[in-house]
Amino acid sequence: MKIHIHKQSTIPFYLQISNQIAQRIHSGLLLENEQLPSLRILADELSISVLTIRKAYKWLEKNGLVWVKPGKGVFVLKKTNRLQEKKDHSNWQQTLGINVVRSQYLMNKESVTYNFSKAVVYPRLLPNKFLAEETQKLLKEDASILTTYGSVQGDEELRIEISKHLLEFQKIRSNHENIIITSGVQQGIDLVAQAVLKPGDSVIVESPCYGGALDIFINKDIHIIPIEMDDEGIRSDLIEEVFHRFKPKLLYVNPSFQNPTGISMSSDRRKELVELAERYNFFILEDDSFGDIYFEQSIRQHPIKYYDRDHHVIYIKGFSKTLAPGVRIAAMLANGPIFDWLFAVKASMDVGSPLLTQKAILPFLRTDRMRNHVEKLRIALQLRRDTSVDILSNETNRLQFQIPNGGFNLWLSINEPAIDIFDLLKKANEKDISFLPGVACYNNKTNEPSFRISYSLVSEDELSIGLVELCKIINQF
């Protein structure tokens, strides 16, 4: 078993070990009744004490993941989906077998002043006035645009401009005929899941992972295989291990300033993933929602799609987050037979994304406005990141985090594993503060007291006030 101990982490060794074993149990890498290494063998492999391994195994036993046979060893119990709520059959709706198991968005439904739960840009940082003027101009010139269906594939003019944009900014050569316009990245992920996967199929995801993608896979009854990350992104060495037991059809990754951790995958790791996809014949679904938001010290990486020579990578580029969330525009680039499958699913889903919003962003892509806007947005978000880091570092000593070089998010861990993150969220909500509990980013229960804050949605004043108050809550908790 390949277990990594991060000796600089404040998370106790036994919890690091138990979390990694738990992930393997939930993903199916460790099968029912499979025996775990003995205390002595695992302690020798990791160069730590037998007592630490015993404590890790005790935690696994307490949480119903393993059972101990005296004199024989420790064995894996039957895998269960620990996030799925028990159905209340006294409720007639539950008896209909509704198959929506979970949604990360149910965790923060109420409106709060200090909203750190959503990875969305503060509205005043976006080109609202320009987009409003362009929309009005479009309607004045041709009101019939409201009564016209857009094409299933998306407006051709927009696809041509996006193809040019991908070449200039992502260095990806593409033909506009291989691009499908979707209503945001979320719809793109859903399209791929419907086109490629059927219930029971396996998909590999990063762990932790973007909760919206997990919601899609879980609710479609897809077998999710979470693979942990290191400083270079998802661990490619564990992907090969997966293929000894499963044949995943898809790997979903968010490689640039990953949501939720902020980790940016190294170029070597990106190349390795393409090599693995070619060797084992699976698709890589690359979610590029944050790649444009890199800060000054960041080395900008080519997308995984840049290295794709045999059509294994389906690339989704989001424009909603950096331009206008209300527009809901993303572009999906796919080559080979998969394109026709995606086109067919898109046609059955909505017959095409709204034409008005597609036309509205054309002037942005055709001029330097997009470049200038994104440059200003990077500066503004870097200032917010720096403010967040300063406050969280100075106002409490109970948090651990890495400083991201781009994106919208900070991934935080509390140094005390006994803390219940939902109790903390309840206390925060009482002070008009929200954040995203880390459990939303795992497909199974985790004992890590982790959570994500997004520094992008609130004003600078609200950011400072809200984070100082959150630190007070954490200190008093």
Side-chain angles (χ1 to χ4, degrees):
M1 232 180 351
K2 298 177 181 177
I3 291 179
H4 285 191
I5 297 293
H6 304 283
K7 297 192 175 180
Q8 303 303 317
S9 173
T10 56
I11 298 174
F13 288 172
Y14 85 92
L15 284 179
Q16 293 186 43
I17 295 166
S18 60
N19 277 326
Q20 291 179 55
I21 294 175
Q23 280 191 10
R24 285 163 171 74
I25 293 171
H26 291 312
S27 67
L29 284 174
L30 289 172
L31 302 178
E32 182 181 355
N33 290 325
E34 185 169 345
Q35 186 171 3
L36 299 185
S38 70
L39 299 177
R40 175 61 62 190
I41 288 174
L42 193 52
D44 289 344
E45 282 182 7
L46 301 176
S47 299
I48 57 178
S49 74
V50 171
L51 291 177
T52 301
I53 305 300
R54 188 189 303 277
K55 197 171 181 181
Y57 282 2
K58 281 289 185 185
W59 185 92
L60 292 167
E61 182 183 21
K62 180 181 177 182
N63 283 272
L65 295 172
V66 302
W67 61 284
V68 179
K69 189 173 185 179
K72 297 293 185 180
V74 180
F75 299 84
V76 176
L77 276 174
K78 183 177 181 180
K79 179 173 74 74
T80 58
N81 187 338
R82 302 180 66 81
L83 276 185
Q84 185 168 355
E85 299 290 337
K86 290 183 178 179
K87 292 183 178 180
D88 177 8
H89 290 286
S90 64
N91 184 330
W92 69 269
Q93 294 182 5
Q94 292 282 16
T95 65
L96 297 179
I98 305 299
N99 61 357
V100 176
V101 177
R102 56 158 267 174
S103 171
Q104 73 165 53
Y105 302 102
L106 292 175
M107 295 182 184
N108 283 291
K109 291 189 295 184
E110 304 301 324
S111 177
V112 296
T113 301
Y114 308 106
N115 190 339
F116 304 130
S117 67
K118 295 180 180 178
V120 178
V121 172
Y122 183 53
R124 291 186 183 179
L125 295 177
L126 296 172
N128 302 320
K129 184 178 179 182
F130 175 82
L131 289 171
E133 290 172 351
E134 287 301 317
T135 303
Q136 290 173 355
K137 189 187 300 183
L138 281 167
L139 292 172
K140 189 174 182 179
E141 292 174 353
D142 184 9
S144 68
I145 198 170
L146 289 175
T147 56
T148 304
Y149 276 112
S151 70
V152 172
Q153 190 172 348
D155 180 64
E156 185 175 28
E157 286 186 300
L158 178 59
R159 288 186 284 111
I160 290 171
E161 291 304 321
I162 286 177
S163 182
K164 295 175 184 177
H165 181 88
L166 294 181
L167 179 59
E168 180 179 358
F169 293 97
Q170 277 71 42
K171 308 305 178 188
I172 297 174
R173 295 188 179 277
S174 62
N175 187 316
H176 73 279
E177 294 294 340
N178 293 110
I179 292 174
I180 296 175
I181 303 301
T182 65
S183 299
V185 169
Q186 187 81 358
Q187 187 189 44
I189 298 170
D190 199 7
L191 284 173
V192 173
Q194 289 198 50
V196 175
L197 303 170
K198 62 181 182 297
D201 282 344
S202 296
V203 59
I204 300 172
V205 301
E206 301 153 313
S207 184
C209 177
Y210 165 49
L214 287 178
D215 292 343
I216 289 172
F217 299 138
I218 289 172
N219 293 329
K220 294 185 186 303
D221 199 21
I222 306 301
H223 174 214
I224 298 173
I225 306 172
I227 291 184
E228 66 198 65
M229 306 171 70
D230 58 24
D231 292 341
E232 294 188 65
I234 190 169
R235 285 182 54 191
S236 52
D237 61 318
L238 293 180
I239 293 176
E240 294 213 58
E241 184 180 336
V242 165
F243 275 90
H244 290 298
R245 295 191 171 176
F246 308 102
K247 292 191 179 295
K249 290 184 177 179
L250 183 73
L251 164 65
Y252 167 78
V253 284
N254 180 201
S256 297
F257 317 117
Q258 193 248 10
N259 182 4
T261 64
I263 292 172
S264 196
M265 189 182 293
S266 68
S267 57
D268 286 344
R269 191 64 56 84
R270 294 171 194 238
K271 294 173 189 175
E272 287 174 12
L273 294 185
V274 172
E275 291 170 1
L276 286 167
E278 291 172 350
R279 187 182 311 161
Y280 294 108
N281 283 325
F282 61 85
F283 285 109
I284 297 173
L285 175 54
E286 180 178 13
D287 175 352
D288 189 5
S289 295
F290 302 96
D292 291 327
I293 306 302
Y294 54 90
F295 302 145
E296 60 185 24
Q297 72 273 38
S298 176
I299 299 174
R300 193 175 188 191
Q301 306 285 0
H302 292 305
I304 299 173
K305 184 65 177 175
Y306 174 83
Y307 303 104
D308 183 30
R309 297 293 177 265
D310 200 22
H311 306 332
H312 285 275
V313 181
I314 304 167
Y315 176 78
I316 307 179
K317 179 66 185 171
F319 293 92
S320 301
K321 290 187 180 298
T322 53
L323 191 55
V327 169
R328 302 300 294 148
I329 293 291
M332 183 160 56
L333 175 60
N335 306 90
I338 182 63
F339 177 87
D340 291 333
W341 308 344
L342 293 167
F343 183 96
V345 175
K346 183 74 162 69
S348 66
M349 183 177 288
D350 64 9
V351 199
S353 298
L355 185 58
L356 177 62
T357 54
Q358 295 181 63
K359 292 291 190 183
I361 70 168
L362 267 172
F364 236 76
L365 294 175
R366 283 174 169 165
T367 66
D368 286 336
R369 285 182 178 274
M370 186 69 175
R371 182 194 302 273
N372 296 336
H373 161 65
V374 174
E375 286 176 355
K376 292 177 182 177
L377 184 59
R378 288 189 200 111
I379 295 170
L381 290 176
Q382 183 171 353
L383 289 172
R384 281 167 165 75
R385 181 210 59 180
D386 293 344
T387 297
S388 303
V389 169
D390 288 343
I391 291 172
L392 295 170
S393 300
N394 294 325
E395 297 293 330
T396 183
N397 61 359
R398 301 178 74 183
L399 293 173
Q400 180 187 7
F401 58 91
Q402 290 183 322
I403 301 174
N405 290 328
F408 296 4
N409 306 305
L410 279 171
W411 181 248
L412 308 168
S413 296
I414 302 177
N415 296 337
E416 299 164 36
I419 284 181
D420 186 313
I421 206 68
F422 284 102
D423 286 345
L424 180 63
L425 179 61
K426 183 179 178 182
K427 292 289 185 183
N429 287 165
E430 291 171 0
K431 297 293 185 179
D432 215 17
I433 299 168
S434 67
F435 57 78
L436 184 68
V439 70
C441 303
Y442 295 94
N443 70 310
N444 290 101
K445 183 178 178 182
T446 174
N447 64 316
E448 286 188 33
S450 54
F451 61 101
R452 187 199 74 185
I453 65 163
S454 297
Y455 45 77
S456 56
L457 179 56
V458 295
S459 69
E460 291 183 23
D461 287 343
E462 289 169 342
L463 179 68
S464 298
I465 295 169
L467 286 183
V468 168
E469 187 62 37
L470 179 60
C471 288
K472 289 180 182 177
I473 296 168
I474 291 171
N475 288 335
Q476 296 167 1
F477 196 71

